[in-house]
Amino acid sequence: MEDRRISKTKNAVMQAFLELSAQNDTGKVTVTELAKKANIDRKTFYLHYDSVDAVFEEYVRSRIDELLPVLRANGFFDSPFDASVFFKSVFSVFEKDIQLYHRVAANPANAYLRDKLRIILKDEIRKKVFSDMLGLKAREYEYFSEFVSYGAIAVYLKWLAADTRDLTSDELANFVGGAMN
């Protein structure tokens, strides 16, 4: 179990990161801004993180860790790949920070965050989500994880970037699920 002080500092940094990312039009958050917002000094920041990107990676990984039990609860691992279950599960976890994702998706300056999200999701899919499920050869599995992660992120970001959404998250999940199955 992590020390309470460490946990408190990391939570403050994460909250500051989310707030600054949602407000920042340039898409970049600096260590100085982050430390000031979290009410810590830069030295304390570097005790816990190597960079602002490391904060983002930890945030995305924490969301993916939340996603796995939701996928299990929705029966995702009990049947062949079902994109609609996958998307509905993703939406249910990521929905709490929807405004942050809308800004990330809509702002071209946030391309580095979108790319980082794609890479993290692909890596996590390879490690956790499909490892025992599909019985694919290694190369096929690599292509499959690329397809799912990049496709999922692209569709989700397109939907998020829209000023008005003509589909609900469930409708989008069902549409994509039907197209992929």
Side-chain angles (χ1 to χ4, degrees):
M1 187 163 152
E2 193 171 63
D3 181 292
R4 269 190 304 174
R5 291 171 297 169
I6 292 171
S7 183
K8 185 178 176 181
T9 299
K10 285 185 154 197
N11 286 338
V13 169
M14 191 64 64
Q15 197 58 41
F17 173 79
L18 294 173
E19 290 174 25
L20 290 169
S21 294
Q23 298 166 0
N24 194 331
D25 288 334
T26 66
K28 286 281 191 185
V29 175
T30 67
V31 171
T32 301
E33 291 172 316
L34 196 51
K36 183 177 179 182
K37 184 81 170 169
N39 200 27
I40 61 173
D41 59 31
R42 289 172 48 94
K43 184 178 175 182
T44 302
F45 175 86
Y46 284 114
L47 285 173
H48 301 286
Y49 298 99
D50 293 335
S51 65
V52 175
D53 283 349
V55 177
F56 181 67
E57 288 173 20
E58 183 175 296
Y59 170 74
V60 172
R61 283 194 171 85
S62 73
R63 290 298 169 266
I64 291 170
D65 287 345
E66 287 179 39
L67 176 61
L68 294 175
V70 173
L71 287 168
R72 278 188 201 92
N74 290 337
F76 180 74
F77 298 108
D78 301 332
S79 60
F81 181 77
D82 185 335
S84 64
V85 170
F86 179 77
F87 270 90
K88 285 178 184 179
S89 299
V90 168
F91 287 140
S92 72
V93 169
F94 284 81
E95 193 167 36
K96 64 181 152 190
D97 297 319
I98 194 81
Q99 291 306 318
L100 168 67
Y101 298 120
H102 174 68
R103 284 191 61 95
V104 168
N107 188 344
N110 288 321
Y112 84 102
L113 287 176
R114 292 189 296 272
D115 290 340
K116 200 129 195 79
L117 184 59
R118 286 182 185 117
I119 290 165
I120 294 167
L121 181 60
K122 177 185 68 172
D123 290 345
E124 294 298 312
I125 285 171
R126 283 188 183 154
K127 285 192 292 192
K128 298 176 181 175
V129 178
F130 303 110
S131 61
D132 297 326
M133 189 176 147
L134 299 172
L136 296 174
K137 295 176 185 165
R139 197 70 170 148
E140 292 170 335
Y141 182 65
E142 186 178 322
Y143 289 132
F144 182 78
S145 62
E146 290 279 340
F147 171 74
V148 172
S149 61
Y150 281 72
I153 295 297
V155 169
Y156 190 52
L157 289 173
K158 176 98 173 151
W159 179 77
L160 279 169
D163 289 330
T164 57
R165 295 187 189 94
D166 52 350
L167 296 174
T168 66
S169 60
D170 276 352
E171 290 170 334
L172 181 63
N174 288 332
F175 171 75
V176 172
M180 289 180 68
N181 294 335

